[in-house]
Amino acid sequence: MIFKETKIDGAFVIEIEKLTDKRGFFARGYCEKEFKEQGILFEAVQANIGYNKFKHTIRGLHYQVKPHAEAKLVRCVKGEVWDVIVDVRPESPTYKQWLGVELTENNHTMLFIPEGCAHGYQTLVDNTEIYYMVSAFYAPEAEQGIRWDDQAFNIEWRETEQIFISDKDQKWENYNSSPQKV
């Protein structure tokens, strides 16, 4: 795997190293040893699948607070997404910065999201599916979120006029107007 540091402290874009032959390719999608060599302590306890029927669906921005904070390793297995993270760790040197990465079924790129970062994505085509591993079990009482269009971050989504978004995600408060936890 090829780990590329991003502008968000502790977040990495990860490219696979393909062993190719006439049948196709084989690649490692996760290796605890290689992650540790990069200084990433990540132990997956749960894996989630998100399927989205329509192009321009936005899910997020979500995160869980301590002691249930979670790191994520995200990959798009069908279609294309604009995957976005926002650093909401007040002690972080990249606090309130955001990062967007295009993850597709063809580029096989993954995004490692450290604890304390909100996560969301927008589908770029119909019938898109993501697969991601998390380091903590889902705990509803620890769930937090911020609005996808919060002016505190000015995230550059790919489409903002004709989107599909859940009522729950539409109702998250703006980050600066609500007491946030990390």
Side-chain angles (χ1 to χ4, degrees), residues 42-62:
F42 178 68
E43 182 179 323
V45 299
Q46 186 173 297
N48 301 319
I49 298 168
Y51 170 78
N52 300 278
K53 196 171 185 177
F54 303 110
K55 178 180 182 178
H56 300 147
T57 298
I58 293 178
R59 291 190 184 254
L61 298 153
H62 308 132

Side-chain angles (χ1 to χ4, degrees), residues 100-151:
V101 177
E102 194 168 295
L103 305 178
T104 75
E105 67 182 285
N106 294 322
N107 71 15
H108 308 286
T109 299
M110 296 176 285
L111 179 61
F112 176 77
I113 305 162
E115 290 181 7
C117 287
H119 173 244
Y121 63 91
Q122 181 175 46
T123 61
L124 303 178
V125 297
D126 290 341
N127 299 309
T128 294
E129 187 173 315
I130 67 164
Y131 178 89
Y132 61 101
M133 299 187 301
V134 294
S135 65
F137 295 106
Y138 175 68
E141 69 279 9
E143 185 179 25
Q144 294 284 306
I146 52 180
R147 285 186 57 86
W148 66 276
D149 60 351
D150 190 330
Q151 296 293 318

